Amino acid sequence: MFNEIDFTKIDLTGQPPADETKRQYYFMGKIRELLARESAVLGRPVTYCLQTFGCQMNEKQSEVVAGIMDEMGFDRKESEDADIVIYNTCTVRENANLKVYGRLGKLHNLKKHNPDMKIILFGCMMQEPHVVDKIRNDYPFVDLVFGTHNIFRFAELFYEMKNRDSQLVEIWEGTEQIVEELPTERNYSFKSGVNIMFGCNNFCSYCIVPYVRGRERSREPEAIVNEVKSLVADGVTEVMLLGQNVNSYGKTLEHPVTFAQLLQMVEAVPGLHRIRFMTSHPKDLSDELIEYMGKSKKVCHHLHLPMQSGSSRILKLMNRRYDKEKYLELVQKIRGAVPDISLTTDIIVGFPGETEEDFLETLDVVDKSNFDTAFTFIYSKRSGTPAAKMEDQVPEDVVKDRFDRLLSLVQEKGRMVSSRFQGTVQEVLVETESKEKGIFTGRTQYNLLVHFPGTSDMLGKYIQVRLDTCKGFYYLGTAVTEQE
Ligand code: 5AD
Ligand code: SF4
């Protein structure tokens, strides 16, 4: 769709155009010229490896970077012994940062054997000044560093990097700009994420996201619908609408639109079969949305509703702006309107000051809410956030013990809740063939994975599958009939 650029129509001899999209295509054209020469000298294609850490927003942005790399003529490979290695980084928890530093050590060795190798880092972690200082001082062999706000400038930055010997760093503090129509290389041909907004204004006290992703900005509904239409024309039947807090979508647009209204517009796109969205904040989940989910034909009956903690006292310290009762009320309300809903959540253990009583409140909400899955995280101190300065950080062994107790309850409940589908026939979208040949993996509208024997013509199709054996968070099944 966006990949059909006719480079013969771009004048590469003049100045770069002012229009941002055209400007980036101009630099893509310039690099294509450079690359053709390089590749001729090497006698082989020039390769790149792109790895993504973190969330689905990062996955989506990596698809743009991959689209630009492919457009410029590079060949993608999985392993890091490539000519160019690119990491899209995450910083939501310290672990994510440590992983990148560990990988950089290994890349340094590879680069010693291939001095022409280029190393590029971008994404959330690069928005933190102390990280950039460390890269400058301790990892001077990294060639290009950029952040989350200027990804659309990738082709131009790449061109600049090629024309210098020293490390190039370009980090923006924020941006109002949303650049549309850049090339995209999708991970799947039949499903795709669609950004509906960027940034976050909530400032939950533990979270680094508002500092690295900037203020909340919504895309115009027409731009979103047009993107969905072109995706559908290109074979996509399932979209995931992405934002840090989709329930506050559209509030700051010149002509405000609610998230439920946006869903309605997306639902009207012919040929689209399923709509998912991520992530919802309990404080902004509206009755209008709940009602819409109940009557929609395309919105999947799955809601990811991060609770973070079951203790009202901790929720207040987290600046979540709801309490335990409000959360439980919401769960009840959703189940009333959409009885077969699959609910999933995120929970943090060991937030500063969390007592055993607070933790028991969390277990209580897990017990009462019947989540299909809960993603559990050990609190990670992020410098610059209000929680990092809070006293009473919980000792590691106490946190570990709570984490284990939470995990076993979550797993026990999840297994019980997921078993409600035992023996039923469900429509699944077939996504991948597993390593074991002939075994395929599909996903129900409830986001539940099912492995079943099949054939490769089923990939990307909706198939009826009987769920025979519940294995906790996935099923083993049998294809019954093909639907589409
Ligand atoms: N420590 C642990 N978990 C965190 N999350 C966000 N910030 C932190 C942190 N500092 C979790 C939240 C969020 C999910 C994406 O990551 O549960 O919902
Ligand atoms: Fe972080 Fe809270 Fe924003 Fe989610 S809503 S990204 S947890 S600040």
Side-chain angles (χ1 to χ4, degrees):
M1 42 162 208
F2 305 129
N3 293 16
E4 288 148 19
I5 303 168
D6 184 354
F7 283 99
T8 58
K9 295 218 171 87
I10 301 177
D11 174 14
L12 298 176
T13 53
Q15 289 299 308
D19 172 82
E20 196 54 61
T21 308
K22 290 197 182 110
R23 183 180 177 90
Q24 296 309 315
Y25 286 164
Y26 166 93
F27 282 105
M28 285 175 223
K30 291 287 239 191
I31 291 161
R32 277 171 78 91
E33 287 183 341
L34 279 180
L35 188 68
R37 287 200 291 273
E38 250 177 61
S39 187
V41 171
L42 287 170
R44 61 166 176 82
V46 181
T47 58
Y48 78 98
C49 165
L50 167 62
Q51 298 210 3
T52 307
F53 299 85
C55 66
Q56 301 193 342
M57 303 279 267
N58 269 19
E59 287 291 345
K60 176 74 185 173
Q61 283 175 323
S62 284
E63 289 183 0
V64 174
V65 168
I68 295 172
M69 287 300 281
D70 290 356
E71 206 59 66
M72 296 192 298
F74 295 96
D75 265 26
R76 187 163 184 176
K77 67 189 292 189
E78 288 306 311
S79 57
E80 283 154 315
D81 58 345
D83 298 300
I84 298 153
V85 176
I86 310 172
Y87 289 156
N88 185 359
T89 62
C90 167
T91 188
V92 76
R93 287 171 291 275
E94 182 66 17
N95 267 350
N97 293 39
L98 297 177
K99 251 188 236 162
V100 169
Y101 290 131
R103 296 283 193 92
L104 281 178
K106 293 201 183 106
L107 288 189
H108 196 191
N109 279 333
L110 286 173
K111 193 163 180 168
K112 281 180 194 151
H113 293 110
N114 177 10
D116 291 332
M117 179 183 183
K118 298 283 179 209
I119 300 173
I120 301 174
L121 303 176
F122 75 102
C124 292
M125 188 176 155
M126 301 304 128
Q127 289 294 140
E128 292 188 89
H130 69 91
V131 170
V132 175
D133 286 345
K134 193 172 162 87
I135 304 278
R136 278 204 174 101
N137 296 327
D138 301 350
Y139 302 91
F141 57 88
V142 171
D143 298 280
L144 171 62
V145 175
F146 58 101
T148 56
H149 303 296
N150 51 351
I151 292 172
F152 65 86
R153 280 176 43 74
F154 176 59
E156 185 168 351
L157 291 169
F158 194 99
Y159 184 74
E160 251 188 77
M161 170 192 79
K162 292 290 281 179
N163 287 305
R164 63 194 273 160
D165 292 328
S166 56
Q167 189 173 74
L168 172 61
V169 176
E170 184 183 285
I171 306 291
W172 290 5
E173 295 244 324
T175 184
E176 290 298 314
Q177 246 171 316
I178 298 177
V179 180
E180 307 277 354
E181 308 273 315
L182 288 169
T184 306
E185 185 57 37
R186 297 199 313 271
N187 291 338
Y188 294 92
S189 59
F190 46 85
K191 68 169 190 174
S192 177
V194 174
N195 288 312
I196 64 165
M197 59 206 298
F198 301 93
C200 182
N201 284 353
N202 289 319
F203 291 95
C204 299
S205 63
Y206 51 81
C207 188
I208 192 91
V209 168
Y211 305 90
V212 296
R213 289 250 173 209
R215 293 295 62 72
E216 196 173 289
R217 308 172 297 290
S218 294
R219 278 176 82 193
E220 290 293 339
E222 292 75 22
I224 296 167
V225 170
N226 283 339
E227 183 175 342
V228 173
K229 279 183 183 160
S230 4
L231 286 166
V232 170
D234 204 37
V236 166
T237 59
E238 180 183 297
V239 292
M240 163 86 87
L241 306 181
L242 297 171
Q244 301 295 347
N245 179 12
V246 293
N247 303 108
S248 76
Y249 169 79
K251 287 184 181 155
T252 53
L253 289 172
E254 197 182 326
H255 304 287
V257 173
T258 66
F259 181 55
Q261 287 167 335
L262 176 73
L263 281 176
Q264 211 166 338
M265 289 182 218
V266 172
E267 175 140 8
V269 175
L272 184 67
H273 196 78
R274 280 182 176 176
I275 305 171
R276 301 183 182 279
F277 56 85
M278 181 96 100
T279 291
S280 294
H281 193 306
K283 83 175 164 61
D284 295 313
L285 191 78
S286 65
D287 290 352
E288 187 196 12
L289 174 66
I290 294 175
E291 194 190 318
Y292 189 73
M293 283 188 87
K295 65 180 189 207
S296 161
K297 296 267 181 298
K298 295 187 182 174
V299 174
C300 292
H301 286 185
H302 168 226
L303 183 68
H304 185 64
L305 194 64
M307 72 177 238
Q308 313 299 5
S309 168
S311 152
S312 297
R313 193 181 74 83
I314 294 292
L315 285 168
K316 197 163 183 13
L317 290 171
M318 286 178 162
N319 192 29
R320 290 290 288 179
R321 286 169 277 176
Y322 56 86
D323 58 15
K324 178 184 178 184
E325 284 63 41
K326 171 85 196 299
Y327 190 88
L328 287 170
E329 240 170 65
L330 268 181
V331 169
Q332 248 188 342
K333 205 190 276 182
I334 296 154
R335 292 205 188 279
V338 193
D340 63 339
I341 193 93
S342 153
L343 272 184
T344 56
T345 199
D346 291 342
I347 304 168
I348 298 175
V349 181
F351 184 83
E354 183 189 74
T355 62
E356 178 63 17
E357 287 68 41
D358 293 319
F359 177 66
L360 291 177
E361 299 274 24
T362 297
L363 292 184
D364 187 42
V365 180
V366 171
D367 195 41
K368 290 186 170 128
S369 300
N370 290 328
F371 298 117
D372 285 66
T373 314
F375 299 93
T376 49
F377 305 107
I378 286 182
Y379 167 73
S380 171
K381 187 171 170 175
R382 310 311 292 130
S383 60
T385 62
K389 289 186 216 85
M390 289 180 188
E391 285 166 10
D392 266 349
Q393 304 275 335
V394 185
E396 220 170 284
D397 55 331
V398 176
V399 179
K400 184 76 186 57
D401 172 64
R402 286 181 194 161
F403 183 81
D404 292 344
R405 284 154 66 203
L406 175 64
L407 195 61
S408 71
L409 180 65
V410 159
Q411 284 174 343
E412 182 195 320
K413 296 283 298 184
R415 186 175 281 270
M416 195 192 82
V417 173
S418 298
S419 71
R420 73 189 189 278
F421 296 112
Q422 180 79 42
T424 63
V425 173
Q426 300 285 335
E427 181 188 75
V428 309
L429 172 56
V430 186
E431 296 187 349
T432 47
E433 180 170 9
S434 75
K435 285 196 192 97
E436 198 183 329
K437 273 246 163 286
I439 301 296
F440 288 77
T441 301
R443 206 178 281 270
T444 69
Q445 66 154 327
Y446 308 104
N447 214 32
L448 191 65
L449 290 176
V450 190
H451 305 299
F452 63 97
T455 46
S456 53
D457 58 316
M458 290 175 173
L459 280 170
K461 302 228 176 77
Y462 293 89
I463 306 275
Q464 299 290 327
V465 176
R466 194 181 49 243
L467 310 193
D468 300 319
T469 318
C470 180
K471 292 280 186 185
F473 60 95
Y474 69 92
Y475 268 90
L476 301 180
T478 319
V480 181
T481 52
E482 194 170 320
Q483 204 195 39
E484 281 180 33

